[in-house]
Amino acid sequence: TPTPIQAQAIPVALDGKDILGTAQTGTGKTAAFGIPLVNFLLKTKKDTALIMTPTRELATQVMQTMTNLIGRGNIRTALLIGGDSMQKQLKQMRRNPRLIVGTPGRINDHLERKSLNLSKVNYLVLDETDRMLDMGFTPQIELILKFIPNDHQTLLFSATLPDNILKISQKYLNNPERISVGSLST
């Protein structure tokens, strides 16, 4: 049985629409964006998906959930986080992954090294966006978004909806569907 955020977000994401979603941590947001993301990758065969998270712990957790959804060997993946071996990540990038999960700082490191090409990213997830902005990642996020094609689907999830997220959503989301589950003030 889907959680409320999953029941509301999955059909909208499957329709290819952008989402501006708010729900508390622990409400099943990863599956809410992960299930449509896997569906997208299995349908397209060439396109790539990028999931950005504020911390390496969350990135690792999201990657684990995505690996469970995908199954082993179906879609190549890369986890780009600080504190992890750059050599291991460069090896993952040489395999042309179609699902990349990472933190803004390390994603930018790979862009600077030219080991990451975002020109085929057609599915973008910004997870816990409020925390990414609180941690000062706005410049890195905006830099990363310059490398992503204009024609892509964006799912932005956050526990709260401060003004800086509304600004980013107006700038980077295309007529997003607003999905809100639970309280925004908790």
Side-chain angles (χ1 to χ4, degrees), residues 17-154:
K17 294 182 181 142
D18 285 7
I19 292 177
L20 174 57
T22 49
Q24 296 304 309
T25 305
T27 53
K29 288 191 296 279
T30 305
F33 63 71
I35 290 168
L37 186 153
V38 170
N39 182 65
F40 170 82
L41 289 176
L42 291 174
K43 274 192 334 196
T44 62
K45 304 293 183 222
K46 284 195 298 270
D47 292 334
T48 304
L50 174 66
I51 302 172
M52 259 192 284
T53 70
T55 65
R56 57 185 175 209
E57 294 79 14
L58 181 60
T60 303
Q61 189 181 330
V62 166
M63 181 58 89
Q64 184 60 56
T65 301
M66 296 309 298
T67 305
N68 292 342
L69 286 172
I70 294 167
R72 291 258 176 246
N74 292 332
I75 295 169
R76 285 188 297 279
T77 63
L79 179 62
L80 306 181
I81 55 175
D84 201 14
S85 159
M86 184 56 87
Q87 293 311 314
K88 180 176 112 185
Q89 292 176 18
L90 290 169
K91 186 178 170 189
Q92 289 175 346
M93 294 314 299
R94 284 193 290 273
R95 295 176 53 231
N96 295 317
R98 294 189 50 227
L99 171 60
I100 299 159
V101 179
T103 53
R106 187 52 68 101
I107 290 168
N108 270 312
D109 287 349
H110 281 278
L111 286 171
E112 285 173 19
R113 290 171 181 255
K114 308 245 185 289
S115 55
L116 174 59
N117 179 350
L118 298 178
S119 67
K120 288 191 174 90
V121 170
N122 288 50
Y123 200 103
L124 172 66
V125 177
L126 300 171
D127 192 19
E128 296 203 3
T129 308
D130 49 353
R131 285 192 53 209
M132 281 197 279
L133 301 184
D134 287 345
M135 293 167 76
F137 285 130
T138 306
Q140 285 107 318
I141 293 168
E142 294 198 333
L143 185 65
I144 291 163
L145 294 175
K146 287 180 181 156
F147 287 90
I148 294 174
N150 288 336
D151 185 24
H152 70 274
Q153 182 177 3
T154 304

